[in-house]
Amino acid sequence: MSGSAGPSTPNVCHAPLPVLPTYTPPDSYDPIRGTHSPLIIDNGASTLRFGFSTSNSKAVLTPHSVPNVIARFKERKYNQPLLLFGECVDAESGAKGQAKTPWEGDVLLNFDALEHGLDCAFIQLGIDTSSVEHPVLMTERLGSPLHSRTLTSELMFEQYSVPTLAYCIGSVMSFYQNNRPSVPNAPFTQDGLVISFNMASTSVIPILSGRGILSQAKRIPWGAQQSTEYLLKLIQLKYHSFPTRVTSTQAAWMLHNFCEFATDYPSTLRFLKIPANMRASERIVQFPFALPVVGEKTEEELARIAEKRKEQGKKLQEMAAKNRMDKLMQKETDLQYLLNLKEGRSENKREWTNTLQSEGFDDDAALQETIKKLEHDLKRTRKKDVDGTDEPVEEPTFNLVDVPDAELDDEGIKEKKKQKLMKAGWEARARARREKEKEREEKEAGEKRDEEERENNFEEWASRLRKEQEALMNKMKERGRRKAALADRKSAAAQARMKNIASLAADDRVSKKKRKAGAEDMFGADDEDWAIYRKIRRRRTKEDYNQLQIIESKLLQYDPTFTTQHTHASLSSQRSALLSAFRPQYEEGDIAGNSRIHLNTERWRVCETYFSPGMAGVDSAGVGEVLQSVLARFTEAEKARLVKNVFITGGSSQFPGLRERIYATLRPILPPEMHLGEVVRAADPSLDAWRGMAAFANTEEFNWVGVTREEYDEWGGERIKRWWGGNWNSTV
């Protein structure tokens, strides 16, 4: 699928354009004031979700979700420093370069960004008191470093003076939201295997009797952020000269809208190996472009331009004719001057010789030769002006060649030698003219025979020329293959060539015994030694190419079934059907087509990195290996309880085909008789973690899982209480 028309697939999606953020007024704090309602904060790597867990209004229970990014920006118009948060960062082009998130990969490190983000969150919630008088339930990563937890606790207790603070793991709370007891305050006793697809990591957490077995949990350093970067690199490699800059935001949009998991990745590649299947599976993304403004000329302007060009051509012709006339007149003047010089020859030989030398002539013969040459040039120029043809060259006379040297003086002998050289040159030119004439006659005779064969037996003539064309193309192709093979020193052709050089370069004048004794290598001492390189020099393809052009021109002229698509130039420039399907080509002037990105193999390749991070250069186990490693640490009975409820959550869990791929990965590593339940996706992978936290915060159990201000002062910021939804490191 290449050419001017481009792809015929009508399914073209347009890349999203930046949208200005909308202003959302702060919430009213009056319904929550004094209620000590728990404050739920889902501190995600890409999105910050926050809100209160209880309220009489359903709208308040829906959390606020904003991008978890800040930027310090100096506004140019009023020269005022601004602090932008969330969607406002993308609205200002100058602020994008200053954007910063609280997270470095999967670790919380930038606490100034976290503080600014929490300030904006509390302002949006309408909290107008001097301190946050609400217990806080906040997410942290699996196995969060104690340093990050310490600084977060210090910020919450010292800066905001929260009464209690509890940490939980978002994926466990999402599992709780989708499997929580129907009876209020009932204990949570569900079993399951939680696979969480986060922004910068993917984790596997086994849960037995409602408690996360975090000592057996695993995490791999691959998530949506790395997938987006990998897709962006693939696009940049595929479209290295793309006219528009593809941003990370656009790559993330393409990742979440077009990429999917393959149940069997090798089978998918074999399916896409067929060009028609690849075209049917591709998704086309149209990026913004601007059409050039072309001014159309009126008929009067076109006529004026044509008249101007005609006048310029006429002036050039007049200038060329004037130059020719000036040269002709100069030659006539020079000829007349030399004739006058010859007629005024002095009787004094010495004086005449001095005159000739002053004019630049050695003797009378040189003067006579110059006069004769000028007369010949003038005669030929006048003849060409009359009928445009060249006059045949007259054969010169060499009257001194056959005269014996004894009959000549010194000047005559010198002139005789000169005439011999001139005669040899004349005869060589005459011989070359005869050979050229003979070649022309043979060529005309061959063309006549070829024409007779074409007229008498056209099919046989066309078949013969096609065979000759094919033979020449195969010959040139084989020469190209050999040239490519010689470029590789380890190839058989290159080794055979070096062997040939070594054998030809062997000095036969040195005996084997002397050669073994370390005799001096004399190769190159004789100039004939270097002739071996001429024996193995690559043949030039110029003659074959010229002959091929002649054959193809005849076929194009007389054979109606032979078109330009059958020529060597067309066949050699054709791309393979698979390559054309992988990246279709558009005409140079097709601005819309050249601003498109065709996603085909990338749709499955990017998602496959979750199971094979080595494809992207990451030295880590994939999701399948981690699942096998986690399940191997449990007994058969516990393993059966886990795989009955396989739960996936996180933004990337919404990719099509993930549930089928997880099932196909787990089934071979389990005993045949063990039941494997259906892989369940969270009802809302993005918000279920926050909703699970809000539901848990409304239970009585929440009252004793948090760390109070007194316990913080006693234990320090890294200490937390161990409970079923939180981390186990540094717990009491």
Side-chain angles (χ1 to χ4, degrees), residues 45 103-106 198-201 222-230 255 610 652:
W103 297 87
E104 293 289 343
D106 207 35
N198 304 319
M199 189 65 183
S201 65
W222 189 268
Q225 178 182 347
Q226 290 81 3
S227 299
T228 301
E229 294 173 356
Y230 185 55
L255 173 69
Y610 278 96
S652 300

Side-chain angles (χ1 to χ4, degrees), residues 562-576:
F562 188 87
T563 62
T564 54
Q565 296 180 355
H566 299 94
T567 60
H568 175 259
S570 177
L571 293 174
S572 60
S573 62
Q574 276 185 358
R575 306 165 84 228
S576 68

